[in-house]
Each structure stands twice: as structure tokens, then as C-alpha cells.
Amino acid sequence: MPNPEQSLSLPGYLQENETSQEFRDLIVSIPTEKGWIANHLHQYQGFWHTTRQLQGVLACQKHFQAQDGDIFLVSTPKSGSTWLKAVMFSLVNRVSFPDTKQHPLLTNNPHALVPFLEMEYIGKENLDFTNYTFPRLFSTHLPLSSLPRSVEDSDCKLVYLCRNPKDTFVSFWHFSNKLTPIDWVATSLEETFDKFCRGVSLYGPFWDHVLGYWKESLERPQRVFFMKYEEMKNEPRIQLRRLSEFLGCPFSLEEENSGVLDEILELCSFENLSNLEVNKIGKLHSGQEHQVFFRRGEVGDSMNYLTAEMVGKIDMITEQKLHCHGLKF
Ligand code: A3P
């Protein structure tokens, strides 16, 4: 009997998008599964992408030109990218914006200040980032093996942020529900969980994504800095100091003593960002409301949603896939 997930009506959803023949040929040649809401997920270079997102991935792989000195914030979805975007933007631009009472983050959502590489390229080819101030700061969810070639060929720095898979999963489930139209049936926790554990999640398999960057951070520590959401929550000052050193912009003693580090952390705190007017009512140019990126911002919230069986299953996968490489959550 055919697997219903494999026998999706491909032409139907492809017609909804304005896609090239080349793209349609690719889509029908790679594995496809039903995602969440109305999305389909396609497995490209070992990782799962929505139809729209895959268009951006291909375009950015083809056209993006990295430069020496570029900084990339790479993360798995729902691992705290919004937070770290704010932190990294404040960190590398602290000379230009020394006053956190008159800071771009007070009137702009972090996603509006740091371009999201593959999303920027959806439907576009000729993006020009050459006039961006140095160092250019980008964000991406791309797995290591799918980064544009020019990133590997340039002297760039990659900051990788991940989060324990249970909280990441629960955060994603809430996020996808928020994006579900009110009159649609939301995807159940159980169904989403099953897909996540099978690796069929946005930019999943989660564990392969993390492992790629973890190994790279061990082999090339000057190039990849590996961060965990939980460590940033527990010891933000230590982590921010380490991040500043990795990026080559360490805090001077004078800055430390005058409270610059603490001001950045305060500016970017969940409490501060989530209560700003811009993040309560604004929308991204893609249409997503800013507020969907702020929910609870806590470690361990997944325990309020997952059964003991689910916890056991996800912990087992993490142990099998990551512990042997020295990575624990
Ligand atoms: P929860 O859903 O667990 O609350 P991303 O930015 O990668 O989409 O991740 C979203 C997660 O980061 C959400 O987690 C969100 O609440 C949390 N988050 C957003 N801003 C934060 C901040 N300033 N500090 C800590 N967590 C934050």
C-alpha cells in the first residue's frame, strides 16, 4: 500500500507557487512529506525545507557572496535566534550605538536588523549586501553542509546556537500553532513529535544539524563558536564575554566597569524585548507578527507538555546521536 505521505499531490501545491521548471523538476525528484499547517517539507541535501524556503535556499547557495570578516549567526529554529540576533547586533555595533536608551532595538524587531539569508533570497536573485557596514552580520538556519560555497571560501566567523531538543520541539509546536489560521485544525503535539523524532522537521533532522556544527567547532574553533541557549540563560555574562572574544571585539576593562556588558544583556532580555511596542504589534515583511517570537523564554518548559514516554524517546535519540560525540544537554 502506498505511504499516504509519499503520495502527496505535488503538482497542486507547486502550482500555488510561481516556480521555475528547474525547481519543479528538483521537487518531484526529492523526498516530500506533509509538514504542518499547509506546508510540505522536502528533503534537500539531507535536511527538510518548506517549498518556499527551499527556493530561498537554492537562490542563496547560487548567488550569495560572502566576504572576509562576515559573521553568521546559525541556529536551529526555535533555539533563541531572536535573542542572539539582538545580542550580536548590540555587541558588534556597540561603538555606533553606545546608548541603549536610544538603540535601534527599541524600535526594530531583531529580525529586521539582521538579514535572514535564505529567507531574503526567496523570489530574488540580485540582492546587494555590499554597502552593509563592516562586519556584516547575517543569520541562517542552514545546515553546515548546505551553506553557500562562498562562506567556506571566505574568512568568516560562524556562531552556532542550539537548545535542548525537548524545549526546541515544544517551542516549535507552539510557534506552528500560532501560525495556524484560527479556523484550521492545529497539528497535534503527538503528530508533530513523531515527525520531529524521525527528523522530519524544519531544517531537521535536529540532531544532524547540531552535530555538523558541533564537530566543526571542535575541528575549527577559530571559525565556529558553539553556544547553548541554556548556558546563555544560566551564565549570560560569561557567555557574552566569550562571544565577544571569539568575534574579536572583547570588552575592555573600562567597558566592563562602566556596565556596557550588563546594558546589552538588559536591552536584549526577554522581559525587555517582549514588552517593547514594536515587538507587541509589529510584523516582519514576510507577514509574521513579531510577537510570535516571544513566548516564555525559559529552560525546561517542555516538561509541561511532554509525557514521560516522549521524554524517554527524545532523550534516547539524543544519547545515541550526540553523547558519543561528547555533546550533552
Ligand atoms: P519558547 O517558545 O520556549 O518561549 P527563535 O528566536 O529561534 O525563534 O526561538 C524562539 C524561542 O526563544 C522562544 O522560546 C522565545 O520565547 C525565546 N526567546 C525569544 N526572545 C528571548 C530572549 N530575549 N531571551 C530568552 N529567550 C527568548
Coordinates of all heavy atoms in Angstrom, one line a residue, residues 75-87 110-111 141 161 163 167-168 170-172 174-175 178 229 232-233 265 267-274 291-302, ligand 1:
S75 N 21.5 28.8 13.5 CA 20.8 28.2 14.6 C 19.8 27.2 14.1 O 19.4 27.3 12.9 CB 20.1 29.3 15.4 OG 19.2 30.1 14.6
T76 N 19.3 26.3 15.0 CA 18.2 25.5 14.7 C 17.0 26.4 15.0 O 17.0 27.2 15.9 CB 18.2 24.2 15.5 OG1 18.4 24.6 16.9 CG2 19.2 23.2 15.0
P77 N 15.9 26.2 14.2 CA 14.7 27.0 14.5 C 14.2 26.8 16.0 O 14.3 25.7 16.5 CB 13.6 26.5 13.5 CG 14.4 25.9 12.4 CD 15.7 25.4 13.1
K78 N 13.8 27.9 16.6 CA 13.3 28.0 18.0 C 14.3 27.7 19.1 O 14.0 27.3 20.2 CB 12.1 27.0 18.2 CG 11.0 27.1 17.1 CD 10.8 28.4 16.5 CE 10.1 29.4 17.5 NZ 10.1 30.8 16.9
S79 N 15.6 28.0 18.7 CA 16.6 27.8 19.7 C 17.0 29.1 20.4 O 17.9 29.2 21.2 CB 17.8 27.2 19.1 OG 18.3 28.0 18.1
G80 N 16.3 30.2 20.1 CA 16.6 31.5 20.7 C 17.3 32.4 19.7 O 18.0 33.4 20.1
S81 N 17.1 32.2 18.4 CA 17.8 33.0 17.4 C 17.5 34.5 17.6 O 18.3 35.4 17.4 CB 17.4 32.6 16.0 OG 17.0 31.3 16.0
T82 N 16.2 34.8 17.9 CA 15.8 36.2 18.0 C 16.6 36.9 19.1 O 17.1 38.0 18.9 CB 14.3 36.3 18.4 OG1 13.5 35.4 17.6 CG2 13.7 37.7 18.3
W83 N 16.8 36.2 20.2 CA 17.6 36.7 21.3 C 19.0 37.0 20.9 O 19.6 38.0 21.1 CB 17.5 35.7 22.4 CG 18.2 36.1 23.7 CD1 18.5 37.3 24.1 CD2 18.6 35.2 24.8 NE1 19.1 37.3 25.4 CE2 19.1 36.0 25.8 CE3 18.5 33.8 24.9 CZ2 19.6 35.4 27.0 CZ3 18.9 33.2 26.1 CH2 19.5 34.0 27.1
L84 N 19.6 35.9 20.3 CA 21.1 36.1 20.0 C 21.3 37.1 18.8 O 22.3 37.7 18.8 CB 21.7 34.7 19.7 CG 23.2 34.7 20.0 CD1 23.5 34.9 21.4 CD2 23.8 33.4 19.5
K85 N 20.3 37.2 18.0 CA 20.4 38.3 17.0 C 20.5 39.6 17.6 O 21.4 40.4 17.3 CB 19.1 38.3 16.1 CG 19.2 37.5 14.8 CD 18.0 37.7 14.0 CE 18.0 36.6 12.9 NZ 17.0 36.8 11.9
A86 N 19.7 39.8 18.6 CA 19.7 41.1 19.3 C 21.0 41.3 20.0 O 21.6 42.4 20.0 CB 18.5 41.2 20.3
V87 N 21.5 40.2 20.7 CA 22.7 40.3 21.4 C 23.9 40.6 20.5 O 24.7 41.5 20.7 CB 23.0 39.0 22.2 CG1 24.4 38.9 22.8 CG2 22.0 38.9 23.3
P110 N 14.5 42.3 16.3 CA 15.9 41.9 15.9 C 16.0 41.3 14.5 O 17.0 41.4 13.8 CB 16.1 40.8 16.9 CG 15.3 41.2 18.1 CD 14.1 41.8 17.6
H111 N 14.9 40.6 14.0 CA 14.9 40.1 12.7 C 15.0 41.1 11.6 O 15.5 40.8 10.5 CB 13.7 39.2 12.4 CG 13.7 38.0 13.3 ND1 14.5 36.9 13.1 CD2 13.0 37.7 14.5 CE1 14.3 36.0 14.1 NE2 13.4 36.5 14.9
H141 N 19.5 29.4 9.1 CA 19.2 28.1 9.8 C 19.9 27.0 8.9 O 19.6 25.8 9.2 CB 17.7 27.8 9.8 CG 17.0 28.6 10.9 ND1 17.5 29.0 12.1 CD2 15.7 29.2 10.8 CE1 16.6 29.7 12.8 NE2 15.5 29.8 12.0
L161 N 24.1 28.5 17.5 CA 23.2 28.5 18.7 C 22.3 27.3 18.7 O 21.6 27.1 17.7 CB 22.4 29.7 18.8 CG 21.4 29.8 20.0 CD1 22.1 29.8 21.4 CD2 20.4 30.9 19.9
R163 N 19.7 24.5 21.3 CA 18.9 24.4 22.5 C 18.6 23.0 22.7 O 18.5 22.2 21.8 CB 17.7 25.3 22.3 CG 16.8 25.4 23.5 CD 15.6 26.3 23.1 NE 14.9 26.7 24.3 CZ 13.7 27.4 24.2 NH1 13.2 27.7 23.1 NH2 13.1 27.7 25.4
D167 N 12.9 21.3 24.6 CA 12.4 22.7 24.6 C 12.3 23.2 23.2 O 11.4 24.0 22.9 CB 13.3 23.6 25.4 CG 13.2 23.4 26.9 OD1 12.2 22.6 27.3 OD2 14.0 23.9 27.7
T168 N 13.3 22.9 22.3 CA 13.2 23.3 20.9 C 11.9 22.8 20.3 O 11.2 23.6 19.6 CB 14.4 22.8 20.1 OG1 15.6 23.2 20.8 CG2 14.4 23.3 18.7
V170 N 9.1 21.7 21.7 CA 7.8 22.3 22.2 C 7.7 23.8 21.8 O 6.6 24.2 21.5 CB 7.8 22.2 23.8 CG1 6.7 23.1 24.4 CG2 7.6 20.7 24.2
S171 N 8.8 24.5 21.7 CA 8.7 25.9 21.3 C 8.2 25.9 19.8 O 7.4 26.7 19.4 CB 10.1 26.5 21.4 OG 10.1 27.9 20.9
F172 N 8.7 25.0 19.0 CA 8.3 24.9 17.6 C 6.8 24.6 17.5 O 6.1 25.2 16.6 CB 9.2 23.9 16.8 CG 8.6 23.7 15.4 CD1 8.8 24.7 14.5 CD2 7.9 22.6 15.1 CE1 8.3 24.7 13.2 CE2 7.4 22.5 13.8 CZ 7.6 23.5 12.9
H174 N 4.4 25.2 19.5 CA 3.6 26.4 19.9 C 3.7 27.4 18.7 O 2.7 28.0 18.3 CB 4.2 27.1 21.1 CG 3.8 26.4 22.4 ND1 2.5 26.5 22.8 CD2 4.4 25.7 23.3 CE1 2.4 25.8 24.0 NE2 3.5 25.3 24.3
F175 N 4.9 27.6 18.2 CA 5.1 28.5 17.1 C 4.2 28.2 15.9 O 3.5 29.0 15.3 CB 6.6 28.5 16.7 CG 7.0 29.4 15.6 CD1 7.0 30.8 15.8 CD2 7.3 28.9 14.3 CE1 7.4 31.7 14.8 CE2 7.7 29.8 13.3 CZ 7.7 31.2 13.5
K178 N 0.7 28.9 16.5 CA 0.4 30.4 16.4 C 0.2 30.8 14.9 O -0.5 31.8 14.6 CB 1.5 31.2 17.0 CG 1.4 31.3 18.5 CD 2.4 32.2 19.1 CE 2.6 32.0 20.5 NZ 3.9 32.6 21.0
Y229 N 21.6 27.7 24.3 CA 20.6 28.6 24.9 C 20.6 28.5 26.5 O 20.6 29.5 27.1 CB 19.2 28.1 24.4 CG 18.0 28.9 24.9 CD1 17.6 30.1 24.2 CD2 17.3 28.5 26.1 CE1 16.5 30.8 24.7 CE2 16.2 29.3 26.5 CZ 15.8 30.4 25.8 OH 14.7 31.1 26.2
M232 N 23.5 30.3 27.9 CA 23.3 31.7 27.8 C 22.3 32.2 28.9 O 22.4 33.3 29.4 CB 22.8 32.0 26.4 CG 22.7 33.5 26.0 SD 24.3 34.3 25.9 CE 23.8 36.0 25.7
K233 N 21.3 31.4 29.2 CA 20.3 31.7 30.2 C 21.0 31.7 31.6 O 20.8 32.6 32.5 CB 19.2 30.7 30.3 CG 18.1 30.9 29.2 CD 17.3 32.2 29.3 CE 16.1 32.1 30.2 NZ 15.2 33.3 30.1
L265 N 22.9 43.0 27.9 CA 22.1 41.9 28.4 C 20.7 42.4 28.8 O 19.7 41.7 28.5 CB 22.8 41.2 29.5 CG 24.0 40.4 29.1 CD1 24.8 39.8 30.3 CD2 23.7 39.2 28.1
L267 N 19.2 45.1 27.7 CA 18.4 45.5 26.5 C 17.8 44.3 25.8 O 16.7 44.4 25.3 CB 19.4 46.3 25.5 CG 18.9 46.6 24.2 CD1 17.9 47.7 24.2 CD2 20.1 47.1 23.3
C268 N 18.6 43.2 25.7 CA 18.2 42.1 25.0 C 17.4 41.0 25.8 O 17.1 40.0 25.3 CB 19.4 41.4 24.3 SG 20.3 42.5 23.3
S269 N 17.1 41.3 27.0 CA 16.5 40.4 27.9 C 15.0 40.1 27.4 O 14.4 40.9 26.7 CB 16.4 40.9 29.3 OG 15.5 42.0 29.4
F270 N 14.6 38.9 27.7 CA 13.2 38.5 27.3 C 12.2 39.6 27.8 O 11.3 40.0 27.0 CB 12.9 37.2 27.8 CG 11.5 36.7 27.4 CD1 11.4 36.0 26.2 CD2 10.4 36.9 28.2 CE1 10.1 35.5 25.8 CE2 9.1 36.4 27.8 CZ 9.0 35.8 26.6
E271 N 12.3 40.0 29.0 CA 11.4 40.9 29.6 C 11.4 42.2 28.8 O 10.3 42.8 28.5 CB 11.7 41.2 31.1 CG 11.5 40.1 32.0 CD 12.4 38.9 31.7 OE1 13.6 39.1 31.3 OE2 12.0 37.7 31.9
N272 N 12.6 42.7 28.5 CA 12.6 44.0 27.8 C 12.1 43.9 26.4 O 11.2 44.6 26.0 CB 14.1 44.5 27.8 CG 14.1 45.9 27.3 OD1 13.4 46.8 27.7 ND2 15.0 46.2 26.3
L273 N 12.7 43.0 25.6 CA 12.3 42.9 24.2 C 10.8 42.5 24.0 O 10.1 43.1 23.2 CB 13.1 41.8 23.5 CG 14.6 42.1 23.3 CD1 15.3 41.0 22.4 CD2 14.8 43.4 22.5
S274 N 10.3 41.6 24.8 CA 8.9 41.1 24.6 C 7.9 42.2 25.0 O 6.8 42.2 24.5 CB 8.7 39.8 25.4 OG 8.8 40.1 26.7
Q291 N 5.4 39.3 17.7 CA 5.1 38.7 19.0 C 5.2 37.1 19.0 O 5.4 36.5 20.0 CB 3.8 39.1 19.5 CG 2.6 38.7 18.7 CD 1.3 39.1 19.3 OE1 1.2 39.6 20.4 NE2 0.2 38.7 18.7
V292 N 5.1 36.5 17.8 CA 5.2 35.0 17.8 C 6.6 34.6 18.2 O 6.8 33.4 18.5 CB 4.8 34.4 16.4 CG1 3.4 34.7 16.1 CG2 5.8 34.8 15.3
F293 N 7.6 35.5 18.2 CA 9.0 35.1 18.5 C 9.3 35.1 20.0 O 10.3 34.8 20.5 CB 10.0 35.9 17.7 CG 9.9 35.7 16.3 CD1 9.2 36.5 15.4 CD2 10.5 34.6 15.7 CE1 9.1 36.3 14.1 CE2 10.4 34.3 14.3 CZ 9.7 35.2 13.5
F294 N 8.2 35.6 20.8 CA 8.4 35.7 22.2 C 7.3 34.9 22.9 O 6.1 35.2 22.7 CB 8.3 37.1 22.7 CG 9.3 38.0 22.0 CD1 9.0 38.7 20.8 CD2 10.6 38.1 22.5 CE1 9.9 39.5 20.2 CE2 11.6 38.9 21.8 CZ 11.2 39.6 20.7
R295 N 7.6 33.9 23.6 CA 6.6 33.1 24.3 C 6.9 33.1 25.8 O 6.4 33.9 26.5 CB 6.5 31.7 23.7 CG 5.2 30.9 24.1 CD 5.2 29.5 23.5 NE 6.3 28.7 23.9 CZ 6.3 27.9 25.0 NH1 5.3 27.8 25.7 NH2 7.4 27.2 25.3
R296 N 7.7 32.1 26.3 CA 8.0 32.1 27.7 C 9.5 32.4 28.0 O 9.9 32.9 29.0 CB 7.7 30.7 28.3 CG 6.2 30.5 28.3 CD 5.8 29.4 29.3 NE 6.1 29.8 30.6 CZ 5.9 29.0 31.7 NH1 5.4 27.8 31.5 NH2 6.2 29.4 32.9
G297 N 10.3 31.9 27.0 CA 11.8 32.1 27.2 C 12.4 31.5 28.4 O 13.2 32.1 29.1
E298 N 12.0 30.2 28.7 CA 12.5 29.6 29.9 C 13.1 28.2 29.5 O 12.8 27.6 28.5 CB 11.4 29.3 30.9 CG 10.9 30.6 31.5 CD 9.7 30.4 32.4 OE1 9.3 29.3 32.6 OE2 9.2 31.4 32.9
V299 N 14.0 27.8 30.4 CA 14.6 26.4 30.2 C 13.7 25.4 30.9 O 13.2 25.6 32.0 CB 16.0 26.4 30.8 CG1 16.6 25.0 30.7 CG2 16.9 27.4 30.1
G300 N 13.4 24.3 30.2 CA 12.6 23.2 30.8 C 11.1 23.3 30.7 O 10.4 22.4 31.2
D301 N 10.6 24.2 29.9 CA 9.2 24.4 29.8 C 8.5 23.1 29.1 O 7.4 22.8 29.3 CB 8.8 25.6 28.9 CG 7.4 25.9 28.8 OD1 6.7 25.8 29.8 OD2 6.9 26.1 27.7
S302 N 9.4 22.4 28.3 CA 8.8 21.2 27.6 C 8.3 20.2 28.6 O 7.4 19.4 28.3 CB 10.0 20.5 26.8 OG 11.1 20.3 27.6
Ligands
A3P1 P1 9.9 29.5 24.0 O1 8.9 29.1 22.9 O2 10.4 28.3 24.7 O3 9.4 30.5 24.9 P2 13.7 31.7 17.9 O4 14.1 33.1 18.2 O5 14.9 30.8 17.4 O6 12.5 31.5 17.0 O7 13.4 31.0 19.3 C1 12.2 31.4 20.0 C2 12.4 31.0 21.5 O8 13.3 31.9 22.1 C3 11.0 31.1 22.2 O9 11.1 30.1 23.2 C4 11.1 32.5 22.7 O10 10.3 32.8 23.8 C5 12.6 32.6 23.2 N1 13.1 33.9 23.3 C6 12.8 35.0 22.5 N2 13.5 36.1 22.9 C7 14.2 35.7 24.0 C8 15.0 36.4 24.9 N3 15.3 37.7 24.8 N4 15.6 35.7 25.9 C9 15.3 34.4 26.1 N5 14.5 33.7 25.3 C10 14.0 34.3 24.2

